[in-house]
Amino acid sequence: MKQNLIADYLSCFLFKAGSFFTSFLPLNASLFLGRRLGDLIYFFDAKHRAVAYANIRKAAAINNDFLEASKITRRAYRAFGQNLIEISFIPRINNHYLEKYIHIENRNYIDEAFKRGKGVIFLAAHEGSWELSNIICANLGFPFTLFVRGQGFPRLNALLNSYRLKQGAKLIHKETGPRQLIESLKSNQSIGLTVDQGGKNGEIVEFFGKAASMSTGAVKLALKYDCSIIPVFYTRVKGPYTKVILDQVYTVTKSGNAEKDLRDNLQRLVNIYEKYIRQYPYEYLWTYKIWKYGKEREILIISDGKAGHSHQSESVARLINRQSSLRGVKTTLSIRQVKFRSNLSRFILNCMVNFSGKYQYNFCLRYLRHALTRESWQSLIGLNLDIVISAGDKLSAVNYILSRLNQAKSIVIMRPANLGLKKFDLAIIPAHDWPQGRGLPAKNVVVTEGALNLVDADYLKERSARLQQSGFLRGPLLNSCIGVLIGGNSRKFSISRQAIIELAGQIKKSAEELDADILVSTSRRTPPEAEQAVKNEFDAYGRCKLLIIANEKNHPDAVGGILGLSRVIICSPESISMISEAVMAGKYVVTFKAGGLSRKHRRFLENYQSKGYVYLKEIKEFSAFIEEVWRNHPEVSLPGNNLKVSAALDKIL
């Protein structure tokens, strides 16, 4: 472990100075200073404060009560400050101090445990005054061995160890291995171990409803040597008065299955501590990522109701699921549609988030409750999340607040509105939103070609089969198909009745020449006059085996089915999402040139045409071009978006 000598010298000096200073003060006055120290740490330790707050919300079952979670977090920091100050009391602790200030509940359990003659493990968690607890155990009238490990500060460690030794504790260092621990147990002596914070090598069990890594040392020793375990919990009553709660003697159960026995016994012990932590939540050390090594991840997609945005978010969630599966991690996906009370409330929220720090977001959280509709707020606030995904600029502020609240990974798709990209763990930005001359993207930014989507071989196969079984098709498909996807009007672009008539004429001509069937679908954005033109042109046409007018009778698998069943796809040019999906189907995609498109759309189409993903043609050229690609089979090119995004996800998961 890399050692910071300056920090080591400084911490050792400050500890000695603090011990000297508090030796002249009454205990209550020293602990008052400890509470103020906790307040000071709470104020400056923004990162760990945010972690503690998120953990307390998840564990203490107070998801909707932010004020209560804040109170517990503040009180936990004050308890931590008192615990630090209390370490300075160790040199002056004697029997009088222990008799006056320490009350031990169920002390008879100690005698009961030693009567078994196989050694006793005093098992604790990272809570209460941990150093004082060691001294208490060392002064109970029987041999007590403490298992210690270095923390990167050798001088401070040496000072603390000298205090422990003077108070009667016997120390075993991690570096010497378990041999001395085993000898102590075989001699019917006691040792002190912890059960939580198992790290990478711990056993995964359930802790407050979620999988967490817990330390296995105590259970492994008990399974092998049949020693007794006494779960111990410490809580401060008032000032220096402390209550030590001894839970009943625990003896491990065995079924013959070593892995099951380890997991089951560890789970029972963790349940004991969960019970006490619920009762005294401010005593626990919440400032570490408790569920980091769990094998479950909760993913939330917050949706603005736009299908294209939802498809992009779902595609990222699917990639996360694949990446997680490779690590043996199970993902659970939730989707919530979010609505604001007004555009003004959304604008105010964006402004607040833009000026908030990475860990100073509570004032944004309070306003979020007023910015969202009641239904949206209630659907979001009770969730315990690991990953938050949103697409479009409207929900980026909500994404930021929810991810900060849960200490979750935040992923935004498309440029967030008025927010810096550094606020998010990963930003997935289409190339048409990242114009040339802007410079290289930051490490947390992935620039993709077009819009992400769910289209792959499995998707096409599934949607094609559903569409064929839907009853929407006008008879069996006997020939290869030309798919036609008609979108609708946008701010500057409009699709005219005349354009539909000309397009239909070109498509029919190709179908006759190539002996092809035609599959047609409009969208909900298609204007009425264009819909009527589509019906006039294709409704009675024999080669049209599918005609879906989305605003009259839609089918959820229409677009996916058409993409899967067609050989050539004709798209109107205004929808980036629709064209991106068509391209990912691996078919020949043709769209027509049109005026009124935004600069962003023009960049998108020009880039896709230059890469050979789409063919941009005048409507009058369609028939000849369709026949050309139909007969010559040119190579189809696909964007590598999924590979780019997967590589970026691999870095943050």
Side-chain angles (χ1 to χ4, degrees), residues 186-307:
K186 287 183 176 180
S187 301
N188 197 26
Q189 297 180 9
S190 63
I191 62 174
L193 297 174
T194 56
V195 70
D196 57 342
Q197 298 191 20
K200 292 182 180 179
N201 299 318
E203 180 73 17
I204 301 299
V205 296
E206 192 173 277
F207 187 51
F208 288 100
K210 295 192 70 176
S213 174
M214 295 292 165
S215 180
T216 60
V219 175
K220 285 182 176 178
L221 287 171
L223 285 170
K224 188 169 184 179
Y225 299 102
D226 199 28
C227 49
S228 301
I229 297 176
I230 299 181
V232 186
F233 195 90
Y234 302 84
T235 181
R236 191 179 303 279
V237 178
K238 184 178 180 181
Y241 292 93
T242 300
K243 179 167 66 173
V244 182
I245 304 173
L246 304 181
D247 206 86
Q248 62 185 4
V249 179
Y250 183 89
T251 54
V252 294
T253 58
K254 300 179 182 180
S255 66
N257 184 325
E259 291 184 5
K260 183 178 184 299
D261 291 341
L262 175 62
R263 186 172 56 254
D264 290 351
N265 284 285
L266 184 59
Q267 182 67 72
R268 294 188 193 105
L269 288 167
V270 167
N271 290 344
I272 293 171
Y273 286 98
E274 186 176 318
K275 173 186 67 176
Y276 288 118
I277 293 170
R278 287 187 188 277
Q279 190 174 356
Y280 307 102
Y282 48 85
E283 295 286 10
Y284 193 63
L285 186 66
W286 295 103
T287 52
Y288 73 104
K289 295 184 178 180
I290 298 172
W291 297 280
K292 178 179 179 179
Y293 296 102
K295 296 298 182 182
E296 298 173 358
R297 296 291 183 271
E298 297 284 341
I299 304 173
L300 172 69
I301 291 176
I302 49 177
S303 168
D304 59 5
K306 295 182 178 180

Side-chain angles (χ1 to χ4, degrees), residues 6 30 41 64 72 90 93 98 100 144 177 202 221 259 350 354 370 393 463 475 484 492 511 520 523 532 539 625 653:
I6 295 177
S30 296
I41 298 172
N64 298 322
I72 294 174
I90 292 177
I93 289 178
L98 295 173
K100 182 176 181 179
F144 175 74
L221 287 171
E259 291 184 5
N350 284 339
N354 197 40
H370 301 286
D393 60 352
R463 299 306 169 97
V484 184
K492 297 182 179 181
V520 182
S523 80
Q532 188 59 51
D539 197 20
F625 182 76
L653 294 179

Side-chain angles (χ1 to χ4, degrees), residues 369-426:
R369 185 170 191 169
H370 301 286
L372 300 181
T373 62
R374 183 179 179 182
E375 294 76 14
S376 296
W377 168 261
Q378 290 180 340
S379 71
L380 294 175
I381 210 58
L383 300 173
N384 293 324
L385 308 171
D386 299 293
I387 301 168
V388 183
I389 306 172
S390 65
D393 60 352
K394 292 183 178 179
L395 299 180
S396 51
V398 181
N399 184 321
Y400 174 80
I401 295 171
L402 289 178
S403 59
R404 293 295 91 206
L405 175 65
N406 290 275
Q407 290 297 289
K409 299 295 184 182
S410 56
I411 301 173
V412 290
I413 306 166
M414 306 169 65
R415 293 194 65 82
N418 304 317
L419 297 179
L421 296 176
K422 291 183 179 180
K423 287 184 175 291
F424 304 94
D425 293 291
L426 178 62

Side-chain angles (χ1 to χ4, degrees), residues 12 87 107 122 159 178 187 220 235 242 272 294 325 335 340 354 394 436 518 538 562 606 630 638:
C12 191
I87 297 175
R107 188 163 184 167
F122 285 94
L159 180 63
S187 301
K220 285 182 176 178
T235 181
T242 300
I272 293 171
S325 296
I335 302 175
F340 288 89
N354 197 40
K394 292 183 178 179
Q436 291 182 353
I518 301 174
F538 290 107
I562 290 173
E606 289 167 2
W630 193 282
L638 297 176

Side-chain angles (χ1 to χ4, degrees), residues 448-459:
T448 62
E449 296 180 300
L452 296 174
N453 52 75
L454 296 167
V455 177
D456 60 13
D458 291 337
Y459 174 91

Side-chain angles (χ1 to χ4, degrees), residues 18 102 255 273 286 355 368 371 401 405 438 485 487 498 555 573:
I102 309 301
S255 66
Y273 286 98
W286 295 103
F355 289 102
L368 180 64
I401 295 171
L405 175 65
R438 186 177 179 84
L485 301 176
Q498 185 59 37
H555 189 277

Side-chain angles (χ1 to χ4, degrees), residues 492-604:
K492 297 182 179 181
F493 171 82
S494 61
I495 186 165
S496 67
R497 176 177 177 275
Q498 185 59 37
I500 294 295
I501 294 173
E502 292 179 12
L503 182 64
Q506 291 287 312
I507 294 170
K508 289 178 182 179
K509 183 179 178 181
S510 295
E512 295 295 338
E513 290 287 338
L514 302 171
D515 191 25
D517 291 329
I518 301 174
L519 309 175
V520 182
S521 176
T522 64
S523 80
R524 295 189 184 278
R525 296 179 296 105
T526 306
E529 62 273 14
E531 287 180 337
Q532 188 59 51
V534 169
K535 286 192 284 187
N536 291 343
E537 293 295 326
F538 290 107
D539 197 20
Y541 183 58
R543 288 188 176 275
C544 183
K545 296 297 182 69
L546 176 70
L547 177 59
I548 291 181
I549 305 299
N551 286 314
E552 295 179 2
K553 189 177 182 182
N554 201 5
H555 189 277
D557 299 307
V559 173
I562 290 173
L563 294 179
L565 295 171
S566 301
R567 187 170 174 182
V568 174
I569 308 294
I570 312 297
C571 287
S572 56
E574 83 296 337
S575 174
I576 291 175
S577 295
M578 184 169 66
I579 294 174
S580 298
E581 289 183 357
V583 166
M584 288 305 297
K587 309 299 174 67
Y588 302 114
V589 181
V590 190
T591 187
F592 55 85
K593 296 178 180 179
L597 295 174
S598 67
R599 186 185 306 173
K600 179 175 71 174
H601 274 70
R602 291 200 302 272
R603 283 200 304 265
F604 164 72

Side-chain angles (χ1 to χ4, degrees), residues 425-466:
D425 293 291
L426 178 62
I428 302 170
I429 313 295
H432 51 268
D433 278 345
W434 194 273
Q436 291 182 353
R438 186 177 179 84
L440 294 175
K443 292 182 179 179
N444 68 319
V445 176
V446 174
V447 178
T448 62
E449 296 180 300
L452 296 174
N453 52 75
L454 296 167
V455 177
D456 60 13
D458 291 337
Y459 174 91
L460 295 173
K461 182 179 180 181
E462 178 184 347
R463 299 306 169 97
S464 299
R466 289 181 185 175

